[in-house]
């Protein structure tokens, strides 16, 4: 999959294409419907499928300080989109100047002049241009003038997550924030993932017999609620069963919130400085302050036991 950052990265000889536009944070199951339709439409027409997204999140530019927690960084979204068959990903730097483009100018500069769109695939509530003034009806009107078709996809999928609420990035963030990582996984179609570099912490886990990878998470990451979880610690291509702790280590009166993963039954791991990923499978228990180290050790042994069982069931 080709990856472009900015309109200037698009090859000058780029031909017609099928395009879909959106933040696509998380590339959840609703997003997968739209992207999948764009790919299948592109195959029908014999042209590439292109996803257009933005960095930073538009809300941060329009309303500074409102950047939502992210379900997946851009490189992870790119991996997921490539797996769906996308041929090219265009990440547009979202600036104050760019945000002022009218809907017609956005279509002309991006879809017509650069990507030569033959079809545009979107959900029914798609908005674009300055102050989100453009809607699907306007997109269809502009397409009739600029020689591209608009293909609408009903992205509203629902299940048990959120009590049957339609799947969305907003709902997924809410479930992650509450610790319902199983519900989030239903929407995403995979476990929620947190990434970062392993850094040195207080090393208490090592002293207690449970050495953990202390993950310095990426900016704006959607981190689950404080507690203990079962999941996996991913290093390169290896996914190691793990018991994961999120919180401030209240037993030791900690203040910094951390994400730490203990690779179950693995010894001698040296992960410092490596970029790793932590996948959250299931919630085990809430964060608690223990009166003694012995009580903490008993709880940690039970956490590992439950995590091992949950992972084996999965």
């Amino acid at each position: 999959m080709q990856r472009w950052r900015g309109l200037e990265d698009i090859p000058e000889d780029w031909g017609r294409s099928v395009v879909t536009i959106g933040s696509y944070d998380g590339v959840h199951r609703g997003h997968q419907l739209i992207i999948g339709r764009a790919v299948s439409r592109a195959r029908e027409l014999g042209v590439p499928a292109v996803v257009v997204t933005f960095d930073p999140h538009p809300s941060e530019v329009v309303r500074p300080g409102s950047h939502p927690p992210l379900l997946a960084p851009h490189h992870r979204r790119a991996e997921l989109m490539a797996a769906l068959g996308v041929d090219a990903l265009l990440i547009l730097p979202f600036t104050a100047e760019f945000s002022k483009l009218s809907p017609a100018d956005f279509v002309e500069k991006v879809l017509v002049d650069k990507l030569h769109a033959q079809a545009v695939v979107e959900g029914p509530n798609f908005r674009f241009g300055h102050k989100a003034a453009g809607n699907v009806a306007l997109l269809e009107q502009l397409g009739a003038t600029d020689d591209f078709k608009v293909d609408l996809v009903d992205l509203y999928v629902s299940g048990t997550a959120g009590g049957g609420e339609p799947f969305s990035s907003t709902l997924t963030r809410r479930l992650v924030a509450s610790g319902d990582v199983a519900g989030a996984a239903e929407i995403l179609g995979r476990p929620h993932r947190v990434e970062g570099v392993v850094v040195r912490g207080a090393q208490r886990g090592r002293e207690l017999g449970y050495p953990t990878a202390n993950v310095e998470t990426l900016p704006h990451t959607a981190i689950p609620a404080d507690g203990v979880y079962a999941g996996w610690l991913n290093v390169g291509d290896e996914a190691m069963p793990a018991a994961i702790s999120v919180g401030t280590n209240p037993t030791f009166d900690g203040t910094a919130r951390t994400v730490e993963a203990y690779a179950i039954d693995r010894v001698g791991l040296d992960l410092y400085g490596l970029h790793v990923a932590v996948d959250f499978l299931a919630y085990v228990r809430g964060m608690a302050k223990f009166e003694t180290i012995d009580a903490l050790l008993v709880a940690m042994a039970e956490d590992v036991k439950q995590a091992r069982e949950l992972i084996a069931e999965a």
Side-chain angles (χ1 to χ4, degrees), residues 21-285:
I21 307 161
S23 292
Y24 291 129
D25 182 25
V27 193
H28 62 64
R29 287 169 58 191
H31 295 154
Q32 291 167 28
L33 289 177
I34 297 179
I35 295 170
R37 176 71 68 83
V39 170
S40 63
R41 189 81 179 97
R43 300 296 180 266
E44 291 170 8
L45 296 172
V47 299
V50 182
V51 173
V52 178
T53 190
F54 310 97
D55 185 38
H57 194 283
S59 67
E60 180 64 18
V61 175
V62 177
R63 297 177 300 278
S66 66
H67 200 304
L70 294 180
L71 299 169
H74 279 292
H75 71 266
R76 175 63 171 158
R77 293 182 224 176
E79 292 171 359
L80 296 167
M81 291 174 185
L84 293 171
V86 172
D87 298 295
L89 171 63
L90 169 61
I91 301 175
L92 290 174
F94 199 87
T95 62
E97 180 182 4
F98 186 86
S99 74
K100 295 186 174 81
L101 283 179
S102 69
D105 284 344
F106 175 86
V107 166
E108 194 68 24
K109 288 179 180 294
V110 179
L111 295 179
V112 179
D113 290 349
K114 289 293 187 177
L115 295 175
H116 311 295
Q118 188 168 350
V120 179
V121 181
E122 296 296 343
N125 292 332
F126 175 62
R127 310 290 299 203
F128 63 102
H130 184 50
K131 294 186 176 180
N135 56 18
V136 167
L138 178 57
L139 186 64
E140 290 176 328
Q141 180 183 329
L142 294 169
T145 302
D146 291 315
D147 190 28
F148 64 80
K149 301 291 185 183
V150 177
D151 190 351
L152 294 183
V153 179
D154 182 0
L155 75 166
Y156 295 110
V157 186
S158 63
T160 59
E165 187 177 330
F167 292 171
S168 67
S169 296
T170 299
L171 173 59
T172 311
R173 293 186 193 106
R174 192 164 75 238
L175 294 175
V176 169
S178 71
D180 185 359
V181 294
E186 182 187 0
I187 299 172
L188 294 169
R190 63 186 185 280
H192 175 59
R193 172 171 288 189
V194 168
E195 298 185 34
V197 173
V198 177
V199 297
R200 293 190 183 276
Q203 298 190 309
R204 292 193 187 95
R206 186 175 302 277
E207 295 168 0
L208 296 173
Y210 296 94
T212 59
N214 188 344
V215 183
E216 187 174 64
T217 57
L218 300 175
H220 304 298
T221 295
I223 298 174
D226 289 2
V228 176
Y229 299 84
W232 293 271
L233 174 62
N234 300 275
V235 183
D237 294 329
E238 184 178 9
M240 297 177 279
I244 306 154
S245 172
V246 179
T248 59
N249 293 302
T251 300
F252 299 97
D253 297 322
T255 56
R257 194 163 184 252
T258 61
V259 175
E260 301 179 60
Y262 166 64
I264 298 173
D265 300 328
R266 295 295 296 267
V267 296
L269 291 175
D270 183 2
L271 305 178
Y272 292 122
L274 296 183
H275 185 96
V276 302
V278 179
D279 288 339
F280 290 81
L281 169 67
Y283 179 86
V284 174
R285 65 168 174 85

